[in-house]
Amino acid sequence: MIVGIDLGTTHSLVGTYGENGPVLFPNALGEYLTPSVVSVDEQGHVIVGQAARDRMVSHPGASVATFKRWMGTPRETVLGSHRFRPEELSALILRSLIADAEAATGETVTEAVISVPAYFSDAQRKATRAAGELAGIRVERLINEPTAAALAYGMQEKQDGARFLVFDLGGGTFDVSVLELFEGVVEVHASAGDNFLGGEDFLDVLETAFCADQKLSLEALTPQEHGQLRRRLEQAKCELGANSTASVEWRQGEHIHGWQIDEERFARLSETLVQRMRTPLERAMRDARLQPTQLDEIVLVGGASRMPLVARLVSRMFGRLPLRHVNPDQAIALGACVAAGLKARDQRLDEVILTDVCPYTLGTKVSRRDEKGNEQTGFFAPIIHRNSTVPVSREEVFQPMRDHQTKLTLEVYQGENPMVERNIKLGQLEIPLPPKRSMAENAVRLRFTYDINGVLQVEAELMATGQRYELVLEQNPGLLDSAEIRERLAALQDIKVHPRDKQENIAILARAERLYEEYVAARSQLQQWIAYFRSILDSQDDHLIREHRRQFGEALDTLEASA
Ligand code: ADP
Ligand code: MG
């Protein structure tokens, strides 16, 4: 079976293409959204999902979240006695999703189509594929998240020339993409975004307002109190989508803080964040050279796009209402399932989706002479511009700065800043120049070619002699090669993961331990419950365990609601 997977920063989902279209599979707790969190317990066993998220509170040093941000880097996370690279943490999430898909269907998962942000660099895409390999499945196709969202909205069935804008506001990232259907292929025309803007920032706004009104200082709260408060405010934030007001009741020691906020005030306090969302929206439209009236549809995805202020911003900027009838948490996963369906039916995916634009500007370092004739160096000369549709090949001619120069160093950079020092250096080419030539005689033609797999080929030709030099930038520092992947695959397979049928027990214990951290007054009560439930688990009587788990869950609900 081929599955479609949304491997999100905050949540991940899995599904496939069934007889009646895309279907998602619930995890062992019956939820479609699995938190992208990994934790390691005292026995060295791996825990993934909601239980791991609860353990962020009770065992912060043994738990990790938001590692999607580190994909493509060699950063390692130590959890207990294990060290994990970001692609290994992602592989653990993938394995848990695969187990859910297999439990739901009874079939074996062999392959997946995984969605990635449109701006993901080559290194980040390769790391995502490596995560698939580490999870033991084939990943032949990655699909850009906005393209997946558009497939969930049936864009591939629209008239040629249809243009979609996809607005994706997740937990910590904001992505805007403009897509166009061209001869039956969905192309990404422009993508822009803010990697540090998402639902969490709006939660910060509520937190600041709450603390100001209640005359609390955030620094004075214990980590436990802080976690508890954020949970309450998160509920309020979600309520504000459905109702015009939300209230929060939060007990700090003996004191009960009662608070109310209405949607209007929340929107007013969020004005700075709303303004920040305008920039990527304007940039994507400018890069795609489109006016708002030329868009056929505007699609909202990402959990945080449920905030009414998002629909208002979009309506104001584009003069119409956005589409949001597909559940915004699920749209990308559903689209990945559509892509999985196309692949399973042996339709060549690239007939429907052309996945790539070059996400960054690529260029070289140049020097200039100012009006006084002084040499100034460190300027960035773009050759391939951001958002060019790939494959793309462009050339420019450069000259050395001086006559009789004997060597030319061509440095290759990626980035958007006019000065190279603010961009990322990818590599360099040394070109020996024939002696005693003028600057013009030593002109060099520089060609950059960027292909669909994100490989950049740099060719330099000394025009006078025709001598050629080449640099191929495909090896990304910080990525695993195939031998290392095999080695780590073996190591990962030795790591114990709790069986799926124990997940509910693990999750309820993790929740009780989180509450133990957060609700000091209820500690002895919780300790008794935990000990009792553990003794029930020892009985190994499934029926008894199920019954007590239900009661335990109800008791925790009551505690959390009233404390
Ligand atoms: P990611 O793509 O980062 O994995 P998601 O698309 O799952 O993220 O979005 C997670 C964010 O959506 C969180 O910040 C969460 O608070 C927010 N969110 C979810 N539901 C709502 C809602 N009803 N109202 C406002 N925000 C919501
Ligand atoms: Mg997402």
Side-chain angles (χ1 to χ4, degrees):
M1 174 176 47
I2 307 185
V3 292
I5 290 178
D6 171 4
L7 190 58
T9 314
T10 321
H11 297 117
S12 297
L13 301 91
V14 63
T16 193
Y17 198 81
E19 275 167 31
N20 304 311
V23 274
L24 299 176
F25 302 125
N27 62 26
L29 309 180
E31 309 279 346
Y32 291 115
L33 296 175
T34 295
S36 305
V37 187
V38 173
S39 185
V40 170
D41 70 11
E42 290 71 14
Q43 291 85 46
H45 292 193
V46 166
I47 295 172
V48 165
Q50 183 56 46
R53 175 182 278 176
D54 279 326
R55 286 173 57 86
M56 293 283 298
V57 176
S58 55
H59 301 81
S63 315
V64 60
T66 63
F67 39 84
K68 183 172 176 177
R69 289 190 189 284
W70 311 324
M71 287 293 266
T73 76
R75 175 172 176 154
E76 290 192 331
T77 307
V78 177
L79 300 180
S81 58
H82 301 294
R83 297 177 81 86
F84 294 110
R85 288 174 58 106
E87 50 273 63
E88 292 177 294
L89 293 168
S90 300
L92 293 168
I93 301 286
L94 289 175
R95 289 218 314 218
S96 158
L97 298 173
I98 291 164
D100 294 333
E102 293 184 340
T105 60
E107 291 177 47
T108 307
V109 174
T110 50
E111 187 176 347
V113 176
I114 303 179
S115 59
V116 294
Y119 61 80
F120 247 27
S121 68
D122 177 44
Q124 292 169 304
R125 285 167 199 262
K126 286 196 178 121
T128 306
R129 283 177 201 273
E133 276 186 68
L134 291 170
I137 50 166
R138 209 163 55 233
V139 182
E140 280 174 9
R141 253 303 178 194
L142 299 176
I143 180 171
N144 281 325
E145 289 170 4
T147 310
L151 293 185
Y153 273 95
M155 184 180 182
Q156 67 283 16
E157 282 139 30
K158 297 264 171 191
Q159 290 233 311
D160 224 32
R163 298 188 184 100
F164 275 42
L165 181 133
V166 178
F167 178 113
D168 180 357
L169 191 62
T173 54
F174 175 44
D175 300 312
V176 182
S177 312
V178 177
L179 311 179
E180 185 172 340
L181 192 66
F182 180 71
E183 293 179 350
V185 173
V186 181
E187 295 185 352
V188 179
H189 264 221
S191 71
D194 188 329
N195 274 341
F196 293 92
L197 177 60
E200 284 294 300
D201 299 281
F202 289 86
L203 188 55
D204 291 344
V205 164
L206 282 183
E207 189 177 80
T208 308
F210 180 92
C211 289
D213 291 358
Q214 302 289 316
K215 310 224 167 6
L216 278 172
S217 130
L218 254 189
E219 290 75 46
L221 300 185
T222 64
Q224 290 76 14
E225 288 173 337
H226 189 197
Q228 227 176 65
L229 176 60
R230 270 184 97 76
R231 233 165 249 282
R232 291 281 148 103
L233 293 169
E234 170 73 27
Q235 272 170 3
K237 185 180 78 170
C238 293
E239 265 170 53
L240 285 176
N243 306 318
S244 54
T245 65
S247 49
V248 173
E249 236 182 51
W250 176 58
R251 181 197 293 267
Q252 185 191 26
E254 291 302 292
H255 187 72
I256 297 179
H257 298 275
W259 190 62
Q260 271 221 342
I261 184 158
D262 57 30
E263 206 278 321
E264 202 188 308
R265 179 171 176 221
F266 176 48
R268 210 164 50 234
L269 295 171
S270 306
E271 197 43 46
T272 321
L273 296 175
V274 172
Q275 286 307 325
R276 267 174 71 192
M277 291 196 278
R278 283 180 169 268
T279 315
L281 284 165
E282 285 162 358
R283 190 166 120 175
M285 290 298 284
R286 202 170 48 237
D287 284 352
R289 298 197 179 79
L290 288 180
Q291 296 300 317
T293 51
Q294 295 173 290
L295 289 173
D296 293 85
E297 299 291 358
I298 300 161
V299 168
L300 299 188
V301 301
S305 74
R306 284 216 182 80
M307 292 184 295
L309 55 86
V310 166
R312 281 202 298 274
L313 168 75
V314 170
S315 308
R316 221 171 327 145
M317 280 184 78
F318 296 94
R320 84 184 80 171
L321 289 175
L323 290 183
R324 41 177 185 171
H325 54 266
V326 177
N327 184 334
D329 298 317
Q330 301 180 350
I332 290 170
L334 289 169
C337 293
V338 171
L342 292 169
K343 189 142 198 307
R345 278 180 280 130
D346 267 345
Q347 286 193 6
R348 284 192 47 221
L349 257 189
D350 25 324
E351 282 169 12
V352 187
I353 46 180
L354 184 90
T355 32
D356 273 306
V357 288
C358 174
Y360 302 109
T361 300
L362 297 163
T364 187
K365 174 174 154 181
V366 292
S367 302
R368 297 219 174 96
R369 292 203 187 278
D370 62 17
E371 314 84 75
K372 293 187 190 120
N374 295 326
E375 186 178 327
Q376 292 195 342
T377 190
F379 296 97
F380 181 54
I383 296 181
I384 293 178
H385 284 273
R386 159 169 56 88
N387 284 329
S388 305
T389 306
V390 293
V392 52
S393 189
R394 297 247 188 294
E395 62 178 36
E396 297 260 343
V397 174
F398 295 93
Q399 289 185 4
M401 286 300 283
R402 284 174 296 279
D403 291 335
H404 304 203
Q405 201 170 310
T406 55
K407 192 178 81 177
L408 189 65
T409 305
L410 286 168
E411 296 181 36
V412 180
Y413 285 85
Q414 89 179 22
E416 310 307 322
N417 201 276
M419 305 309 292
V420 289
E421 62 181 9
R422 306 281 302 274
N423 295 328
I424 299 168
K425 183 168 174 180
L426 300 176
Q428 66 178 41
L429 258 180
E430 300 278 350
I431 301 177
L433 300 173
K436 303 207 182 96
R437 300 271 186 99
S438 68
M439 295 185 287
E441 285 172 314
N442 269 337
V444 167
R445 193 202 311 274
L446 188 60
R447 173 173 284 278
F448 277 29
T449 307
Y450 189 82
D451 74 10
I452 187 108
N453 295 314
V455 176
L456 172 65
Q457 183 191 26
V458 178
E459 292 165 287
E461 181 188 340
L462 195 56
M463 290 167 74
T465 62
Q467 178 74 35
R468 298 166 73 95
Y469 300 85
E470 195 191 45
L471 176 69
V472 178
L473 295 163
E474 57 182 335
Q475 274 308 341
N476 290 287
L479 280 188
L480 300 174
D481 62 31
S482 43
E484 285 169 317
I485 289 178
R486 275 197 300 279
E487 200 175 293
R488 290 192 180 240
L489 179 64
L492 266 191
Q493 263 154 1
D494 286 342
I495 293 179
K496 297 251 174 344
V497 178
H498 291 284
R500 194 171 179 281
D501 61 1
K502 299 284 181 289
Q503 290 299 328
E504 287 176 280
N505 300 336
I506 291 164
I508 201 162
L509 283 170
R511 182 176 173 209
E513 284 181 36
R514 164 172 67 77
L515 293 170
Y516 179 90
E517 281 301 317
E518 290 182 346
Y519 297 96
V520 177
R523 281 193 174 172
S524 60
Q525 174 71 81
L526 279 160
Q527 209 162 36
Q528 274 176 30
W529 288 347
I530 291 170
Y532 185 60
F533 188 64
R534 282 191 192 282
S535 70
I536 297 290
L537 286 182
D538 288 339
S539 76
Q540 301 192 16
D541 175 339
D542 282 344
H543 189 74
L544 196 67
I545 293 172
R546 212 169 320 127
E547 182 51 27
H548 277 86
R549 191 170 61 221
R550 195 182 52 75
Q551 290 174 6
F552 193 10
E554 283 167 6
L556 295 180
D557 287 345
T558 313
L559 174 89
E560 204 164 9
S562 65

